[in-house]
Structure formats: C-alpha cells, structure tokens
Amino acid sequence: MSVTEKLLALHRVDQKLTGLKSRLRQAEAYLRQQDTILSEIQKTHASLTSQVRQLEATVHNDQNEINAFDDRIAKLRERMQTASSSKEHSALLTEMNTIKADRGLIETRAVEALEQLDALKAKLAEIDAQRLEREKVRGVAAQDRDKRHTDIAEKVSELEAERERVLTEVPPSAITAYNELLELGLDDVMATVEEQDRRNKEYSCGACYTHLPVEQLNILMNRGDLTKCPTCGVILYLEQDLFDSITSDAEKKRKRRTMETLD
Ligand SMILES: [Zn+2]
C-alpha cells in the first residue's frame, strides 16, 4: 500500500465519522441556540424583577408618607375643634390645606407608580410564560441531542477503533500533513485527480479544478507518495478505475511498441 492509499483509507473512515455525526452536530447547534434564547429571556426576566422590586419599594414609601399626612390631618382636625380663637382656627386651616396639597402630590405620584407597576407585572408574567415555553423546547432539544448521541455511539466507537488501526499504518509525516489540513477546517482534506484529456496529459484537482502538472500524476501512478495540489493544498489521490485504465493504456502502448520493434 502506498502512502496515498493509506491516507485514503484514513480519509474514508473520517468521512464516515463526519457523515454519522452530522445529525448530532445539527442537534447540538439547535440546543445551543435554545440556550442562547433562554439566557436572553432570563436576562430580561431578571431586569424586570429588579424594576418591579424598586417600584414596589417606591409605592410602599409613598403609602407611608400618605399615612403620615393623614395622621397629621386628623390631629389638626381635633385641634381645630378645640381652637380658642378664630385666628388660631384660621392658622390651623391654612396648615391643613398645605398638608392636603402635599398629600395630593404624593398620591398622584403613587397612583402613577401603581399603574407602572401593574404594567411591569403584566410584562413579567408574559416573560414568565415565554420562559416556561422555551424551557420545554430546550428540554425536547436536549432529549433529541441525547438520542442522536446514543443512536450513533456504537457505530462511532467502531469507526474510532478502525481509525486507530488505520492510523498505525500511516507514516508520521503524512499524518502531520493530513492533520494540518484537518485543522484548517477543510470539508475534504483529500481530493481525486480528474482526467480532462489523457492524450494531452491534462489532469486537474478535484477540489479546486486547477490544472495539475503531469509530474504529480506520475508520482501518484508510480510510488503513490504524498502529493498535494499546488493550488489549494489538498492531498491528491487517484480513483482505482482511473489508475487501472491509465495503466492498461500504457501497457497496450508498450506492447504496440514491442510489436513495431519486432516487425
Ligand atoms: Zn486543488
């Protein structure tokens, strides 16, 4: 087996693994999306809760102030009943009117705050409902992720074991080259050589479709050493059919030449 063939065996296993895990990856991405949405909802929830608490405290303080005004008004009323002169009565009345005006301002503020509080509480209830709903969706997404994980677990561990076996066959320098391409995040780290025109020796890279120098085809045809596309850098390989067909053509040519020499 040539280095290229060994790498191809590794690549085939990796392709199977990627294919097998693709539905799991989708489920994981969906779950992450739900987590993001849920965390946004929770942030809004926390902010609304803190606004509600502040406003409740304001309303409570206003209520205390109003109660204090009411006490003072009740006391002034008592004093007015026992006022010894009309001058004292009139002074007490002025004081009471001032207090009533102040009380009115606080009451208006408290009513507004209460209205605001009702609106905030309604919004909070809405967010609560959204949170519950989203938690359900997240729960289903997590179950789905787990199920997909379980479904493929056995096959994945089989393939991983196979990968380990295949890996022991590949020379370390080729593994390094292969891993470097994997780390670049390429979809396919290996690509076939595609034949455009055999007579004119025109071949191209199956990944970037760029014309390949004939030397690279020769390396793959002969020793099968690690060969990269000079343009996009993927590791090249020949499909067995193409390899066989080129070999048999070359064989025919060789025979024809022998015959011609014999004539
Ligand atoms: Zn290429």
Side-chain angles (χ1 to χ4, degrees), residues 153-168:
E154 201 179 319
K155 189 80 189 137
V156 165
S157 65
E158 273 174 34
L159 282 171
E160 275 166 357
E162 193 185 334
R163 192 180 198 276
E164 285 305 309
R165 270 198 305 281
V166 172
L167 213 49
T168 56

Side-chain angles (χ1 to χ4, degrees), residues 170-177:
V170 189
S173 61
I175 295 176
T176 308

Side-chain angles (χ1 to χ4, degrees), residues 3-16:
V3 172
T4 298
E5 283 169 319
K6 287 169 183 170
L7 278 175
L8 189 56
L10 175 65
H11 183 54
R12 300 265 193 245
V13 176
D14 279 349
Q15 278 179 319
K16 280 186 204 160

Side-chain angles (χ1 to χ4, degrees), residues 18-168:
T18 309
L20 204 58
K21 286 178 180 170
S22 75
R23 287 189 69 237
L24 175 62
R25 299 270 171 274
Q26 281 168 12
E28 283 171 341
Y30 184 66
L31 181 60
R32 274 198 300 278
Q33 196 187 343
Q34 298 315 310
D35 280 334
T36 310
I37 296 173
L38 201 53
S39 112
E40 284 304 314
I41 292 177
Q42 271 155 352
K43 265 187 227 159
T44 310
H45 190 275
S47 148
L48 280 173
T49 306
S50 117
Q51 287 176 56
V52 164
R53 283 200 191 118
Q54 277 173 21
L55 213 51
E56 273 173 346
T58 307
V59 169
H60 183 73
N61 288 342
D62 285 348
Q63 197 56 55
N64 283 345
E65 271 191 69
I66 289 169
N67 290 344
F69 281 128
D70 285 347
D71 284 349
R72 284 171 66 192
I73 290 168
K75 276 178 193 132
L76 280 172
R77 273 214 185 91
E78 275 171 30
R79 281 170 63 196
M80 276 164 77
Q81 272 162 15
T82 57
S84 50
S85 66
S86 67
K87 198 180 164 198
E88 191 193 350
H89 189 273
S90 138
L92 288 168
L93 190 63
T94 308
E95 192 183 345
M96 178 134 94
N97 285 339
T98 310
I99 292 171
K100 274 185 179 168
D102 288 346
R103 185 194 183 281
L105 286 177
I106 301 290
E107 196 176 43
T108 309
R109 195 174 77 186
V111 167
E112 277 169 7
L114 271 174
E115 277 167 6
Q116 229 181 322
L117 191 59
D118 281 348
L120 274 178
K121 280 183 175 169
K123 212 166 174 188
L124 192 59
E126 205 179 288
I127 292 291
D128 252 337
Q130 274 182 30
R131 188 172 64 170
L132 271 179
E133 201 54 45
R134 190 55 63 176
E135 274 167 356
K136 276 185 211 155
V137 175
R138 195 218 171 263
V140 173
Q143 271 174 11
D144 189 41
R145 190 267 325 264
D146 292 347
K147 186 179 179 300
R148 287 184 189 187
H149 188 269
T150 316
D151 285 352
I152 63 168
E154 201 179 319
K155 189 80 189 137
V156 165
S157 65
E158 273 174 34
L159 282 171
E160 275 166 357
E162 193 185 334
R163 192 180 198 276
E164 285 305 309
R165 270 198 305 281
V166 172
L167 213 49
T168 56

Side-chain angles (χ1 to χ4, degrees), residues 205 207-208 229 232 234:
C205 163
C208 71
C229 167
C232 72
V234 300

Side-chain angles (χ1 to χ4, degrees), residues 192-203:
T192 52
V193 169
E194 288 180 0
E195 187 175 61
Q196 305 303 335
D197 184 338
R198 188 170 304 173
R199 194 184 292 264
N200 292 315
K201 295 194 156 92
E202 280 178 15
Y203 293 88

